[in-house]
Amino acid sequence: MADKTEIEEGLAFAPQFGADGLITAVVTDVKSGDVLMVAHMNQDALAKTIESGEAWYYSRSRQRLWKKGESSGHVQRVVELRVDCDQDALWLKVEQAGEGACHTGRRSCFYRAVPLGQTGTVKLEFRDAGMTFDPKAVYGKP
Amino acid sequence: MADKTEIEEGLAFAPQFGADGLITAVVTDVKSGDVLMVAHMNQDALAKTIESGEAWYYSRSRQRLWKKGESSGHVQRVVELRVDCDQDALWLKVEQAGEGACHTGRRSCFYRAVPLGQTGTVKLEFRDAGMTFDPKAVYGKP
């Protein structure tokens, strides 16, 4: 591992993949500023994203490389890619094609809020939870 | 683990902590919409955040619970807390006290961009990288 100061203050890109070979990627909509999703990249997904300017990820559940929008057409054009201080997280500002980023049919994956000021069991509240597309029609399965 | 449909469409809060007991938390500035930092919470940090409305995290490097701002005074008031579709990531919209969120002295931890359209070795570029506070003065150590 490179020197801490070099990682934090240098201009050498040294992404710190975890023990699982993945790095966290936060994706925001360049227009609204909303967080659309949180995903993961392996080295190959990151290289393809940088080269193509379109977002590629690594699916932990499917255990394979995945181009966002390959099934849905909802590709993400990366307007800006940033890395954080310790280079173990990425931030993608994207133009989201189609009607949303979430496989459930919403614009963003973050369509429920956790109420604050409570202890014990918490009940979520829907926020911006309206469907913007029909996932069955887009993905061809429920 | 709860049923997938219940996790995605239900209102029961069932945060999916990883094998390490942590869940990823994305923090954005409620005013600018910028991503300030990516951090992690354990169950205790999450409970304290919900109860107090101020952000608590779990530091992987220091292996301990940590209230944001405990050293710097740069506390984060949580305006809204959201959870994503599969309940394994959190989004905190915060009012950031003080001059920044990053321990390096910047407003955001994401002060370097990765240029796109390239292959091979990539050189980072500073973006919004000006110091907004002096970390030595704020943290009392370099």
Side-chain angles (χ1 to χ4, degrees), chain A residues 8 50 80 111-112 117 127, chain B residues 7-8 50 80 111 117 127:
Chain A
E8 291 184 353
I50 293 172
E80 189 171 68
Y111 49 84
R112 288 170 298 186
R127 299 276 168 87
Chain B
I7 286 189
E8 291 185 352
I50 292 171
E80 189 171 68
Y111 49 83
R127 298 278 167 85

Side-chain angles (χ1 to χ4, degrees), chain B residues 16-25 39-43 45 57-60 88:
Chain B
Q16 305 293 302
F17 296 96
D20 56 3
L22 303 177
I23 190 168
T24 301
H40 299 84
M41 291 183 181
N42 64 3
Q43 200 156 15
Y57 303 106
Y58 182 84
S59 168
R60 295 182 299 179
D88 68 355

Side-chain angles (χ1 to χ4, degrees), chain A:
Chain A
M1 181 162 163
D3 172 67
K4 186 171 186 292
T5 304
E6 172 57 26
I7 285 189
E8 291 184 353
E9 298 296 333
L11 293 177
F13 186 37
Q16 306 291 301
F17 297 96
D20 55 4
L22 302 178
I23 189 167
T24 300
V26 177
V27 185
T28 64
D29 183 303
V30 72
K31 283 184 292 238
S32 68
D34 284 347
V35 179
L36 296 175
M37 53 189 272
V38 171
H40 299 84
M41 291 184 183
N42 64 2
Q43 199 156 16
D44 199 10
L46 177 55
K48 284 181 186 294
T49 300
I50 293 172
E51 189 178 344
S52 69
E54 294 188 321
W56 286 74
Y57 303 105
Y58 182 84
S59 167
R60 294 182 298 180
S61 56
R62 290 174 287 163
Q63 297 193 21
R64 70 170 182 87
L65 200 68
W66 155 59
K67 184 185 174 186
K68 176 66 185 170
E70 65 185 11
S71 309
S72 62
H74 297 175
V75 300
Q76 294 175 334
R77 190 177 77 80
V78 184
V79 176
E80 189 171 68
L81 175 61
R82 292 202 189 187
V83 65
D84 76 344
C85 47
D86 51 5
Q87 300 207 29
D88 67 356
L90 300 168
W91 172 18
L92 289 76
K93 299 184 199 180
V94 307
E95 280 183 358
Q96 174 67 61
E99 297 307 317
C102 185
H103 76 286
T104 66
R106 280 98 172 182
R107 188 164 297 283
S108 160
C109 294
F110 292 85
Y111 49 84
R112 288 170 298 186
V114 184
L116 301 170
Q118 302 192 356
T119 55
T121 305
V122 168
K123 194 172 178 196
L124 300 175
E125 298 168 356
F126 285 118
R127 299 276 168 87
D128 308 319
M131 300 284 182
T132 53
F133 65 94
D134 176 0
K136 284 185 204 172
V138 164
Y139 294 103
K141 58 183 181 183

